[in-house]
Each structure stands twice: as C-alpha cells, then as structure tokens.
Amino acid sequence: MVQVRWEHLNREYSHLTQAQAIFLDGHFVIEHTARNRSGRFFNFNGTAGVWRAPTIEDAGGWQHDTLTEDLDLSYRAQLAGWRFVYLPEVVSPAEVPVEMNAFKVPAAPLGEGQRPDRAQAAARILRSDLSRQVKVEAFSTSARISRTR
C-alpha cells in the first residue's frame, strides 16, 4: 500500500479550515513519516491511499462491518507481511469541512450487524511475531483510533 499526503485545496477559506489543515498535516507529515521510517504500523487514510488488489485479498478483504474498517484492513495487511510506504512528497487533493456543523458531526453509531473491532485488532497484533516496540505502538494506536470514532 502506498500512502500519500493530503493537500488541502480550501486551506485558506477560514480559520476553521486552517486549523483542520494544520492538524491533518501533523498527522500526515509527522506521524506517518515517523511510523514509516521506524518500521511501525500505520493505517491508510481514505483517498490518499493506493492499494494493490492482491494485498486487500490476502488480508481477508474489506470488512465493512467494523467501526474502523480502514485501520482493520491496514493492520491485517501489515500482519500478513505486506509493506506500506509513505510518500510525503506526493499529494492528493482534498478539502476539509468549511462549517462547524460538518466538522463536528460524529461518526455513525454502531449499527445492526456492525462489530467493534478494537479487540480483534488488538488480539491479532499481540499474537503476531512483531517486535515488542511495534506491538506497543500498533496496540495503542488501534485503541486510540477506535475510541475517537
């Protein structure tokens, strides 16, 4: 999987869009770069991720019935041995919400048939042959992301 960086087309629209852009730049430029360079897991981010179909298939496919399907697939693929590459110099055009109501809309509540996947992701990570350092980072990230959705 190749992850690139979002370039915010409407960054200068308002103070809200500027703040969001700064937050997301930190996530992409600092967090993804550090994780990728240190050999730690990271999850792909929507439109800025490019997957090979065999990677998705080998990892068990896209599972829509989880709260954090992007994290779940990312970790399953990395646990299956697929390498993720982060290319911060490549950008994908994107926009951030311009109104506070759009910004603060929470994720949809757990619907019928959906399962909270934090426990499954954590179990996969802990059972793996990964180094202790990578396990701790991946486990804490999966817990943090699951709590915020």
Side-chain angles (χ1 to χ4, degrees):
M1 198 280 294
V2 175
Q3 177 70 56
V4 301
R5 181 174 53 86
W6 283 341
E7 179 62 35
H8 315 290
L9 299 175
N10 62 341
R11 173 187 298 268
E12 301 302 322
Y13 183 82
S14 69
H15 291 298
L16 177 63
T17 58
Q18 290 171 357
Q20 292 175 84
I22 290 168
F23 172 75
L24 289 167
D25 286 348
H27 171 65
F28 277 100
V29 176
I30 297 169
E31 198 173 340
H32 273 350
T33 298
R35 285 195 179 135
N36 186 236
R37 287 184 183 168
S38 64
R40 289 175 168 77
F41 280 18
F42 67 91
N43 62 299
F44 89 99
N45 294 96
T47 57
V50 181
W51 287 83
R52 292 180 59 217
T55 305
I56 296 171
E57 293 165 8
D58 188 47
W62 183 268
Q63 297 179 0
H64 68 281
D65 62 341
T66 67
L67 278 176
T68 55
E69 67 282 347
D70 50 357
L71 175 84
D72 183 56
L73 177 59
S74 296
Y75 279 17
R76 285 187 285 117
Q78 289 168 97
L79 285 167
W82 290 93
R83 280 193 53 230
F84 279 31
V85 177
Y86 177 56
L87 303 175
E89 67 278 2
V90 179
V91 297
S92 175
E95 291 185 343
V96 291
V98 298
E99 296 177 355
M100 184 56 80
N101 286 336
F103 173 73
K104 65 181 182 179
V105 171
L110 197 61
E112 186 176 335
Q114 283 188 315
R115 60 183 169 81
D117 55 40
R118 187 170 107 188
Q120 290 88 350
R124 282 189 206 102
I125 293 163
L126 295 175
R127 286 193 307 260
S128 73
D129 293 331
L130 298 168
S131 71
R132 177 178 166 81
Q133 199 173 28
V134 172
K135 283 182 181 182
V136 167
E137 173 68 22
F139 184 82
S140 65
T141 300
S142 70
R144 178 179 51 82
I145 290 174
S146 294
R147 278 194 316 270
T148 60
R149 296 218 175 165

